[in-house]
Amino acid sequence: MDNKYEGKVMWSHLDANMHMRHSAYADFAAQARIVVLDRLGMDLKAFQHLHIGPILFREELVYLREVGINEHLTITVELTKSRADGSRWSIRHEVFRADGVKAAVINVDGAWLDLHKRKLTNLPEVLVEQFNRLNKSEDYQEEE
């Protein structure tokens, strides 16, 4: 399964020090998650139809190297932890520059939100199967 998203750093992604601002890393990771879920058939239209959406409880960014304007980035998406039913999950993103240098690691913990009830919910069975096809990290753990 293709678990990568590629993008280019734009002027709007920069901070006063002329490198990529902290929140731009989170934006790239969010876009990577949406693109990879879409490839699994879990697109935004399906979520809208079911009135559910992903929600984050925690987002951790670890900065390793600078990223500047016009750099081409590759962001990976790997499941590091999940319940068997996909109701709670953790995903690791790694951000690589075009020269192959790892620039950042972004870890998120999340679940699914019922958009009408504004409460946590489970994925419908058909989406559980698709979600479980996400690439799993080498240190992946299934939780109860």
Side-chain angles (χ1 to χ4, degrees), residues 27-135:
D27 292 342
F28 271 105
Q31 185 63 28
R33 283 192 303 279
I34 294 301
V35 166
V36 169
L37 289 174
D38 186 77
R39 289 180 188 147
L40 291 170
M42 300 175 73
D43 61 20
L44 290 178
K45 287 184 183 182
F47 288 139
Q48 288 172 340
H49 175 74
L50 296 166
H51 308 289
I52 62 173
I55 184 171
L56 295 184
F57 302 127
R58 182 182 74 92
E59 185 169 33
E60 172 193 50
L61 287 86
V62 180
Y63 309 103
L64 304 171
R65 296 288 184 268
E66 280 191 307
V67 172
I69 187 79
N70 290 327
E71 289 208 50
H72 182 84
L73 301 178
T74 300
I75 298 91
T76 61
V77 178
E78 288 186 321
L79 203 56
T80 59
K81 202 181 308 179
S82 180
R83 291 185 182 172
D85 65 2
S87 62
R88 307 290 182 278
W89 40 265
S90 297
I91 292 175
R92 177 186 305 128
H93 305 279
E94 293 182 328
V95 179
F96 294 92
R97 300 185 318 201
D99 62 5
V101 170
K102 188 187 307 182
V105 178
I106 302 154
N107 296 299
V108 298
D109 298 333
W112 304 100
L113 181 69
D114 181 310
L115 299 175
H116 287 291
K117 296 177 183 173
R118 307 308 289 176
K119 295 186 182 283
L120 296 181
T121 190
N122 291 333
L123 280 175
E125 192 60 40
V126 65
L127 292 184
V128 171
E129 187 177 312
Q130 292 167 311
F131 184 75
N132 284 330
R133 291 193 349 245
L134 262 174
N135 287 20

Side-chain angles (χ1 to χ4, degrees), residues 5-36:
Y5 169 75
E6 297 182 8
K8 195 170 192 177
V9 178
M10 300 183 323
W11 173 257
S12 62
H13 294 138
L14 301 184
D15 65 13
N17 295 327
M18 298 306 293
H19 60 226
M20 196 160 81
R21 62 183 161 73
H22 67 284
S23 56
Y25 287 89
D27 292 342
F28 271 105
Q31 185 63 28
R33 283 192 303 279
I34 294 301
V35 166
V36 169

